[in-house]
Amino acid sequence: NASNRMGMSIEERSASLASETEDVAREDQIFIYDALESAMGSRVDARMAEIANHFDGVNLSETQRAIVDVFGGIRNNLPISVNRANGETRRVVMRQGREDRGGSKHSLLRHFGTTSGYYTADEVLLIEDVLANGERTEVRRRGVIVNEYKHTIDGVTYKVLTEKKDNREEFADFYTN
């Protein structure tokens, strides 16, 4: 993949997904994470950099920029407000969290570039739509009550989980079916 992308400009690389230029199917690839982690930092750091680079120079709304900045590791604990169809406004604090707990780092570790609840860099922008239009239910996860927003777009079901803390909602996870 590196040789296929070497001749591309920064703009061309940013506008295309790595999966579009792969010459080996994703399911046939072998990933050696331990070596990459020592050379590049953690997997999550590399995935955050991929998100940041993917949206570098892209014109985004204020809410989209906040989401991308948190997922890209640029900023943390950014509040966003989303207007729902029923007239209510949901305020969610987008947070990086930790890999072993809720937040963008956990979501990137578990679901970005994996086979479990997989999503792409572009799909990160759908978080706002899922919060605005998703069916909201309270569910118990690992002993904690969370809001689950579930919204289907083009046959893919997206879920955003938020935790209730101190009378506010904090971003906990994002994934697909």
Side-chain angles (χ1 to χ4, degrees):
N1 203 18
S3 64
N4 287 337
R5 297 175 70 83
M6 240 172 41
M8 296 173 127
S9 68
I10 293 172
E11 292 80 19
E12 290 171 319
R13 280 194 304 272
S14 295
S16 67
L17 298 173
S19 60
E20 295 172 351
T21 56
E22 294 171 342
D23 58 356
V24 175
R26 182 77 38 144
E27 61 269 11
D28 295 328
Q29 295 177 14
I30 298 170
F31 294 93
I32 305 170
Y33 290 116
D34 292 339
L36 288 174
E37 286 180 29
S38 62
M40 298 175 60
S42 79
R43 281 180 266 173
V44 171
D45 290 341
R47 291 172 182 175
M48 289 178 122
E50 184 176 340
I51 296 286
N53 290 335
H54 183 79
F55 290 104
D56 186 36
V58 175
N59 188 21
L60 300 171
S61 72
E62 185 177 327
T63 299
Q64 290 173 327
R65 178 53 57 196
I67 292 167
V68 166
D69 283 357
V70 170
F71 270 78
I74 297 165
R75 296 188 293 164
N76 195 11
N77 298 322
L78 299 177
I80 62 170
S81 293
V82 178
N83 297 319
R84 293 189 42 88
N86 64 3
E88 74 176 329
T89 299
R90 303 303 289 193
R91 184 176 160 96
V92 176
V93 177
M94 296 300 299
R95 63 188 178 100
Q96 292 178 11
R98 296 184 359 202
E99 293 177 18
D100 62 339
R101 296 207 177 158
S104 65
K105 289 181 178 183
H106 172 77
S107 180
L108 287 164
L109 177 70
R110 299 282 308 228
H111 308 295
F112 184 76
T114 68
T115 57
S116 173
Y118 178 82
Y119 61 87
T120 66
D122 288 326
E123 288 173 314
V124 167
L125 296 181
L126 295 176
I127 290 172
E128 178 181 16
D129 188 25
V130 174
L131 289 169
N133 300 304
E135 176 186 340
R136 183 174 64 91
T137 57
E138 283 189 0
V139 296
R140 184 172 291 277
R141 297 271 172 114
R142 296 182 199 100
V144 176
I145 295 189
V146 298
N147 283 322
E148 178 184 83
Y149 296 84
K150 187 167 135 180
H151 189 50
T152 301
I153 304 168
D154 296 329
V156 177
T157 300
Y158 297 90
K159 290 184 181 180
V160 173
L161 301 180
T162 63
E163 295 179 3
K164 294 180 176 184
K165 290 189 177 176
D166 301 324
N167 294 323
R168 68 181 191 182
E169 286 183 81
E170 293 185 355
F171 173 80
D173 206 355
F174 173 62
Y175 55 94
T176 70
N177 64 339

